[in-house]
Amino acid sequence: MTIARVAIIGRPNVGKSSLLNALAGQMISIVEATAGVTRDRVSTIIEKDDKYFELVDTGGYGIVDADQLGDHIESQIRQAIESADVVVFMVDIRDGVTPLDKTIAQLLRREDLKVIGVANKADTARMFPQAGEFTRLGFGEFLCISTLNNLNKSVLLEKIIDEISHLESGKPDEPVMKIAIVGKRNAGKSTLLNAMVGEERVIVSETPGTTRDAIDVRFQKDGKTIVAIDTAGVRKKGKMSDSIEFYSFVRAERSIKSADVVLFLIDSTLDISQIDKKLAKLIADEHKACIIVINKWDLAKEQASTEDYEDYLTKVLPVMKYAPIAFTTAKDAKNVQSVLDLAAELFKQATTTLSTGRLNKAFEAIRAERAGSKKGQAGRPKIYYATQIAVNPVTILMFVNKPQLFDENYKRFIINKLQTLLPVGEVPIRLLARAHRK
């Protein structure tokens, strides 16, 4: 179902990201005093009184960006305006009408859409009369708001609902799967996401660290809604230059935890680094279904075969042994749709419910090998029976004689056997042991 789209437009540092977070009731966009933190279109679904709309935060129009991304940012803003049903035009009441405000007003007047003017940073009622000068911009009276203290937030929300009331605004389809794209800086995450959705949804640049927010993008595949999350590139904490990079890293971690399937992107032209190993451990510790996506394969395939590279990964990333490997050239969209098909298969495995009978038959086969005897310890580990207690990750509870006999090595042996015997061979299994009471 398509729903109404509302874009927040304004010059740098007027409070657009703060407004998105305030209306969403949670921290979605990174907010910093530094101008130009937001670069891509960051969006979220807002609901009020059974009315739904997509709220889109954009970068500051006219930003002079240190990474020379100004043109990219303005392209994202123009796309947000062109696809919007309503625009929230935000200004700073303390600065009055600025030349950039006039430029944005001219840009908006070219479009046939509804514009709601808001004057932010009106922290006290004494400032409200100052909003009168913004009527010169041609969009009527500007609503005084303060994202700092939530002043008139509900009034603005009501205005938005009024403007979209004639549009289809039912509850959007629930995504069948959430995919997080993670990896080092410049591995090609944004390029991969754009290839997935078939449009330039996020900025792609040779400049490392272009993406800062974790950006949720909803798209359709085979009639089903999928959410892909583009995350900021990760680098060593010691090299994080500012709080923006720290917040970006925290959001990347959060995205891994919330995802159904993780696409772990690796640049085939570089050696596996400590950052790659750290990300692999984080994904494995969270028991996440994962595809290791070897990107830029067009630049490396002459140096190694896929089999050689797979052997290399097994040696350097042993914790990801369960994860299938895909080779892509994201800039040409090569093998990208196959990765999505594989992600759907992994999600199916991760959400498999195993019958108790089938599960215990597998454990009988494991017991028949009589593995895991512990010389020098009192007794041998015994598994009486097992049951599945959760999915995604597949979580199995074993009832045993002595849980302390089931160390990590023995658990790993059991997991490897279960992945061979059951239809969950490419996803992690979480194994728990509990003492059996007669």
Side-chain angles (χ1 to χ4, degrees), residues 130-385:
Q130 296 170 226
E133 67 171 300
F134 295 110
T135 56
R136 291 192 284 132
L137 295 172
F139 300 107
E141 291 186 9
F142 275 56
L143 174 67
C144 291
I145 67 168
S146 171
T147 56
L148 183 68
N149 55 28
N150 280 333
L151 178 71
N152 279 339
K153 180 179 83 171
S154 59
V155 177
L156 174 57
L157 203 48
E158 290 289 351
K159 273 180 167 281
I160 293 172
I161 296 297
D162 285 345
E163 294 300 338
I164 65 169
S165 58
H166 64 289
L167 301 171
E168 185 178 19
S169 57
K171 187 175 183 180
D173 296 333
E174 286 295 324
V176 295
M177 178 171 57
K178 287 182 73 175
I179 300 172
I181 307 172
V182 302
K184 280 193 309 194
R185 301 189 349 153
N186 244 27
K189 297 180 294 300
S190 297
T191 306
L192 180 67
L193 185 138
N194 288 341
M196 283 179 177
V197 303
E199 64 171 289
E200 192 180 331
R201 182 57 182 79
V202 287
I203 293 171
V204 173
S205 168
E206 292 299 317
T207 305
T210 301
T211 303
R212 288 167 165 176
D213 287 283
I215 300 160
D216 291 19
V217 178
R218 298 169 70 93
F219 66 101
Q220 297 282 318
K221 179 171 171 59
D222 301 330
K224 296 176 180 176
T225 301
I226 297 172
V227 171
I229 311 166
D230 185 19
T231 64
V234 175
R235 64 173 175 168
K236 289 182 180 178
K237 281 190 177 179
K239 291 187 177 180
M240 290 184 187
S241 58
D242 52 32
S243 58
I244 296 170
E245 285 199 24
F246 173 74
Y247 292 137
S248 297
F249 176 72
V250 169
R251 278 165 164 71
E253 284 187 309
R254 190 186 303 164
S255 298
I256 290 172
K257 292 178 181 179
S258 67
D260 297 309
V261 179
V262 175
L263 303 186
F264 177 19
L265 220 62
I266 290 175
D267 184 337
S268 65
T269 65
L270 302 174
D271 292 336
I272 297 299
S273 66
Q274 288 302 315
I275 301 166
D276 293 317
K277 292 176 182 178
K278 180 179 178 179
L279 276 170
K281 185 176 186 305
L282 178 60
I283 295 165
D285 287 348
E286 292 294 328
H287 297 89
K288 289 296 176 180
C290 176
I291 303 170
I292 302 176
V293 180
I294 310 304
N295 193 32
K296 307 181 186 179
W297 188 241
D298 58 315
L299 302 177
K301 62 184 179 182
E302 301 301 327
Q303 279 71 47
S305 67
T306 54
E307 291 81 4
D308 290 339
Y309 201 92
E310 286 174 3
D311 290 341
Y312 167 62
L313 282 182
T314 301
K315 290 175 186 174
V316 295
L317 296 178
V319 294
M320 300 302 296
K321 186 179 176 182
Y322 65 87
I325 301 167
F327 295 85
T328 65
T329 303
K331 69 180 178 63
D332 300 325
K334 190 171 181 181
N335 211 24
V336 170
Q337 293 306 310
S338 297
V339 169
L340 279 175
D341 292 335
L342 180 54
E345 168 57 28
L346 290 192
F347 183 56
K348 182 180 177 183
Q349 289 185 38
T351 53
T352 296
T353 300
L354 302 161
S355 70
T356 302
R358 185 173 189 179
L359 188 58
N360 282 288
K361 198 169 183 180
F363 272 98
E364 282 176 22
I366 293 170
R367 279 197 297 267
E369 292 196 23
R370 303 185 65 80
S373 66
K374 301 277 184 176
K375 292 180 180 179
Q377 290 191 23
R380 174 186 292 174
K382 293 180 182 177
I383 305 166
Y384 296 108
Y385 64 95

Side-chain angles (χ1 to χ4, degrees), residues 26-61:
Q26 58 180 307
M27 285 289 290
I28 294 173
S29 281
I30 294 175
V31 175
E32 273 281 304
T34 310
V37 173
T38 302
R39 290 168 167 176
D40 296 285
R41 285 172 281 161
V42 180
S43 65
T44 189
I45 302 296
I46 305 289
E47 183 271 331
K48 179 175 172 58
D49 300 332
D50 293 327
K51 293 282 187 181
Y52 293 82
F53 63 92
E54 182 182 8
L55 185 63
V56 183
D57 181 22
T58 61
Y61 190 87

